Amino acid sequence: MATAVITGSARGIGAAIALRLAQDGYDIALNDISEAMFEDNDIVERIKANGVLCEYFVADVSNYSQCEQMVKDIKAKFGTIDVLVNNAGITRDGLLARMSEESFDTVIAVNQKSVFNMTKFAGSVMMKQRSGRIINLSSVAGLWGNAGQFNYSASKAAIVGMTKTVAKELGSRGITCNAVAPGFISTPMTDKLNDAQKEAILRMIAMRRYGTVEEISGVVSFLASKDASYVTGQVIEISGGLSM
Ligand code: NAD
């Protein structure tokens, strides 16, 4: 049985990706920042209902040694790592002039350094297997910029560069690396926006609605599938036509 690792998967887009990959037949290694994220949460049971193995691993993906240990633990438990989805991410929004150093550093560490940490360790397992799929969560903010998200846009643009570099470095080992760049998707992350912000955003979206987490997980499922075996180094925007 093949194994998929999804970071930041106790809720939101990560949980939807984990569920979809379970439906596709993968055993699932969930990850999130704390034990508390899995308390009063039926995600493990919902995944297991698909007849696959599922276990959660608590680790801070911005922490290099915690990622090294987590990848070792997942490999020991599941035997292989076939799909890595670098999904964990945070926002600390604010205009550049008022952005603290701590807010910049934290977002870069969680959104960007995590991709280095996890791809280095899980990528090494995939290289020995001579196969693997790596799928990174970028954002339209990383492609087009977004006022109030200097730190977040920087981290999500970096993901584009890292995605293409990994595709070039690991392609000859049978490993693909792609990114998806969601627009505005209904999750706890976007619930934080106020009504005026939500209304202004809707006016910019050709489809005049927010996306659903399933509309992200479906594309991730495709990128992990056999049908995408010759797709690498690409960034697929999933935004309902936001950037046109
Ligand atoms: P979310 O806040 O609902 O979920 C993110 C998950 O990551 C949470 O469970 C959180 O606990 C976990 N996490 C945070 N820091 C972590 C850490 N250091 N280690 C491990 N886990 C950690 O957010 P979401 O909307 O589901 O976003 C998922 C991904 O999609 C993020 O990378 C985000 O930037 C990206 N994205 C979201 C949207 C959107 O509209 N929601 C748009 C574009 C991109």
Side-chain angles (χ1 to χ4, degrees), residues 8 11-13 31-33 37 59-61 87-90 110 137-139 152 156 182-185 187-190:
R11 70 174 192 199
I13 293 172
N31 151 262
D32 218 291
I33 182 82
M37 292 300 295
D60 175 352
V61 289
N87 166 81
I90 56 166
V110 175
L137 270 286
S138 179
S139 164
Y152 185 78
K156 294 298 181 180
F184 290 92
I185 310 302
T187 68
M189 188 179 267
T190 46

Side-chain angles (χ1 to χ4, degrees), residues 131-203:
S131 69
R133 299 292 171 89
I134 300 167
I135 300 148
N136 296 324
L137 270 286
S138 179
S139 164
V140 289
L143 305 181
W144 311 110
N146 196 24
Q149 292 197 309
F150 184 90
N151 47 6
Y152 185 78
S153 304
S155 70
K156 294 298 181 180
I159 286 176
V160 174
M162 292 191 286
T163 299
K164 290 173 189 284
T165 301
V166 171
K168 287 184 176 179
E169 284 195 15
L170 305 189
S172 64
R173 312 289 183 99
I175 299 166
T176 68
C177 183
N178 294 286
V180 294
F184 290 92
I185 310 302
S186 299
T187 68
M189 188 179 267
T190 46
D191 287 347
K192 286 190 272 180
L193 298 168
N194 64 39
D195 286 348
Q197 286 171 315
K198 284 183 182 164
E199 193 50 47
I201 288 163
L202 281 181
R203 273 187 253 118

Side-chain angles (χ1 to χ4, degrees), residues 208-222:
R208 295 286 187 274
R209 64 171 178 85
Y210 282 62
T212 65
V213 292
E214 289 77 19
E215 287 171 320
I216 306 303
S217 62
V219 178
V220 172
S221 163
F222 162 71

Side-chain angles (χ1 to χ4, degrees), residues 42-113:
D42 62 357
I43 184 69
V44 174
E45 285 67 40
R46 285 163 64 208
I47 286 170
K48 283 183 173 167
N50 294 282
V52 300
L53 299 177
C54 177
E55 197 155 311
Y56 71 80
F57 297 81
V58 171
D60 175 352
V61 289
S62 69
N63 183 297
Y64 187 79
S65 52
Q66 286 185 30
C67 288
E68 184 173 27
Q69 188 58 51
M70 175 166 67
V71 168
K72 269 190 201 150
D73 293 345
I74 293 171
K75 173 85 171 58
K77 174 78 195 173
F78 293 92
T80 63
I81 297 180
D82 303 281
V83 177
L84 166 66
V85 184
N86 284 308
N87 166 81
I90 56 166
T91 51
R92 294 280 186 280
D93 295 352
L95 293 173
L96 172 59
R98 279 189 244 123
M99 185 170 287
S100 69
E101 184 183 8
E102 192 271 336
S103 147
F104 181 81
D105 289 345
T106 305
V107 169
I108 296 295
V110 175
N111 296 5
Q112 180 176 339
K113 189 181 174 205

